[in-house]
Amino acid sequence: MGIPVTIYSSPTGPTGVKKRRSSPRRGSLKIRRTRSRDRFFWYNASDGVSRIVSFNNSNPEQVNNYTFAPAEFHHEPYPTTFPANGVWPPRQIDDLVCAIGSENSDCVGDTCYNGNICEDLECTHTLAAWRAATSDWEKHFELRKTEHRGIGVYTRRAFRQGTVLGWYAGELRTLASMDDSNSDYLMEIEIGDISPNTPLEPTPSIYIDGERKGNWTRFINHSCAADCVFRIMRVGNTRIMAVEAIKDIPRGKELSVDYGEEYYGLTTKKRCACGVPECVERRRIRLEKVMERRKVEEKAKRNKISKRCSHVAPPILV
Ligand SMILES: C[S@@+](CC[C@H](N)C(=O)[O-])C[C@H]1O[C@@H](n2cnc3c(N)ncnc32)[C@H](O)[C@@H]1O
């Protein structure tokens, strides 16, 4: 490993389990319309729900891993958030996504589906063990066809708030290396030191591309009342984008994250179909009604003024 991990001391609870940080660094998902819908094998269950039962081998590949092509990074500048002795261009995964700056990268250990995090900043948890621990995701979640939002992820059991549910896997890429930087499933992740005291803006980042290779988390849809967040954490020395429950989630519920105002906002062209009472689309409708009313009022005011003007005596021409 070329990049040393910066160790920070942090408070430990009485049980030896660290408290979650209050201001998680969230992942920003840049997602476009899905093209993967027809590449799966569906069946209509007796309860009327369309479920995916298995995947074929065509794209996108179901890969619960990080992959990367070192050549894609050869022309990239040395990241400003990397320590002086970092390895660049990267030769292995941790040269690229080494967890530096533990403030926002708590270790999830090598188990999943619980609310614990590892308190040992020099722990030996490995991505290989984490991948094994998250490979049984189908026991916990299932993919279903939704009415208006393509494929969605549904729980097969209940989860407590604070539980790490999985991670966003895929190909680690630079923006410049992508033919289509507007690919459907790009997750931005900062690289190097992400300590809060790092003054550099914007922080260098790469993308986890789930378009061709990725895991189930790329099917998590947006909701304006989301019950999960994407959050930077670590497994040993490796930085991951974890999916964390921010509410208690019952069995049979669709998982959702908030894609952000830039994706589904008042000024975006895309329309959200999450349907919750606090949905941005309801706000949009309210706003449009207000604007319409204002327009009508202004028109009425203008008409009144012009009528008044027409009653004024014409100027006397000399
Ligand atoms: C990362 S994909 C999520 C998985 C996707 N449903 C699929 O079938 O692959 C993001 C896409 O899902 C759809 N989607 C997700 N949340 C939505 C929402 N709240 N309203 C409408 N479409 C949504 C949109 O087409 C969006 O571009």
Side-chain angles (χ1 to χ4, degrees):
M1 169 126 11
I3 306 160
V5 177
T6 313
I7 311 289
Y8 293 88
S9 63
S10 50
T12 304
T15 57
V17 176
K18 269 199 297 179
K19 299 270 189 308
R20 291 240 180 269
R21 299 302 192 301
S22 53
S23 53
R25 194 171 278 237
R26 289 175 182 184
S28 80
L29 195 57
K30 291 197 168 182
I31 316 148
R32 292 289 163 99
R33 204 187 65 76
T34 177
R35 279 186 249 136
S36 56
R37 222 166 283 172
D38 300 320
R39 297 180 185 133
F40 301 96
F41 172 62
W42 293 96
Y43 84 110
N44 287 316
S46 53
D47 57 4
V49 174
S50 290
R51 295 188 164 87
I52 280 182
V53 283
S54 64
F55 305 107
N56 60 25
N57 288 327
S58 64
N59 274 343
E61 269 178 67
Q62 302 304 305
V63 175
N64 191 38
N65 200 0
Y66 275 152
T67 57
F68 91 114
E72 287 189 2
F73 295 84
H74 280 186
H75 302 295
E76 292 295 316
Y78 190 83
T80 48
T81 43
F82 271 30
N85 58 345
V87 174
W88 197 262
R91 289 196 287 262
Q92 51 187 345
I93 294 295
D94 278 354
D95 294 335
L96 200 51
V97 280
C98 187
I100 307 174
S102 65
E103 186 59 31
N104 287 296
S105 52
D106 304 314
C107 180
V108 285
D110 50 18
T111 56
C112 196
Y113 319 121
N114 62 48
N116 298 339
I117 55 169
C118 162
E119 62 172 301
D120 181 0
L121 294 170
E122 289 178 279
C123 67
T124 53
H125 293 116
T126 62
L127 190 64
W130 169 255
R131 286 177 48 218
T134 52
S135 63
D136 67 344
W137 68 274
E138 279 173 291
K139 272 195 212 155
H140 309 274
F141 311 101
E142 68 179 3
L143 302 183
R144 292 188 195 169
K145 258 185 191 165
T146 68
E147 209 175 339
H148 304 295
R149 293 161 297 113
I151 300 168
V153 180
Y154 288 76
T155 55
R156 282 176 186 265
R157 48 160 279 208
F159 291 96
R160 306 289 293 176
Q161 177 182 357
T163 306
V164 173
L165 307 176
W167 67 306
Y168 199 89
E171 295 177 280
L172 302 179
R173 312 194 64 184
T174 63
L175 210 50
S177 71
M178 287 182 251
D179 308 330
D180 177 11
S181 59
N182 290 323
S183 152
D184 294 352
Y185 303 90
L186 291 181
M187 169 72 77
E188 190 170 4
I189 186 167
E190 292 143 317
I191 50 173
D193 192 345
I194 53 165
S195 308
N197 53 2
T198 314
L200 296 160
E201 287 290 341
T203 314
S205 55
I206 56 166
Y207 292 84
I208 310 171
D209 184 357
E211 170 93 31
R212 294 181 301 184
K213 296 175 181 181
N215 67 2
W216 62 274
T217 63
R218 68 188 157 178
F219 294 114
I220 300 177
N221 285 326
H222 162 90
S223 166
C224 297
D227 45 25
C228 298
V229 286
F230 283 113
R231 183 188 159 193
I232 285 184
M233 297 185 86
R234 69 181 171 93
V235 177
N237 284 340
T238 311
R239 182 169 296 163
I240 63 164
M241 191 59 83
V243 183
E244 182 181 317
I246 51 169
K247 295 174 184 168
D248 287 346
I249 306 174
R251 181 173 176 218
K253 167 98 177 41
E254 184 181 357
L255 293 185
S256 59
V257 293
D258 188 341
Y259 290 4
E261 286 276 314
E262 277 176 32
Y263 200 88
Y264 288 122
L266 289 174
T267 54
T268 59
K269 281 193 186 143
K270 281 180 187 284
R271 295 289 184 262
C272 176
C274 76
V276 299
E278 48 278 74
C279 178
V280 65
E281 296 311 324
R282 295 188 185 210
R283 268 192 286 146
R284 191 198 305 280
I285 290 167
R286 278 200 300 273
L287 205 70
E288 279 169 0
K289 275 188 187 158
V290 170
M291 302 292 270
E292 194 50 42
R293 214 173 34 233
R294 261 191 215 154
K295 249 194 225 163
V296 171
E297 279 167 8
E298 264 163 34
K299 199 174 169 196
K301 219 191 268 175
R302 272 202 306 273
N303 283 346
K304 218 171 164 185
I305 290 170
S306 68
K307 263 189 201 158
R308 231 188 280 144
C309 289
S310 65
H311 293 147
V312 174
I316 302 163
L317 300 173
V318 194

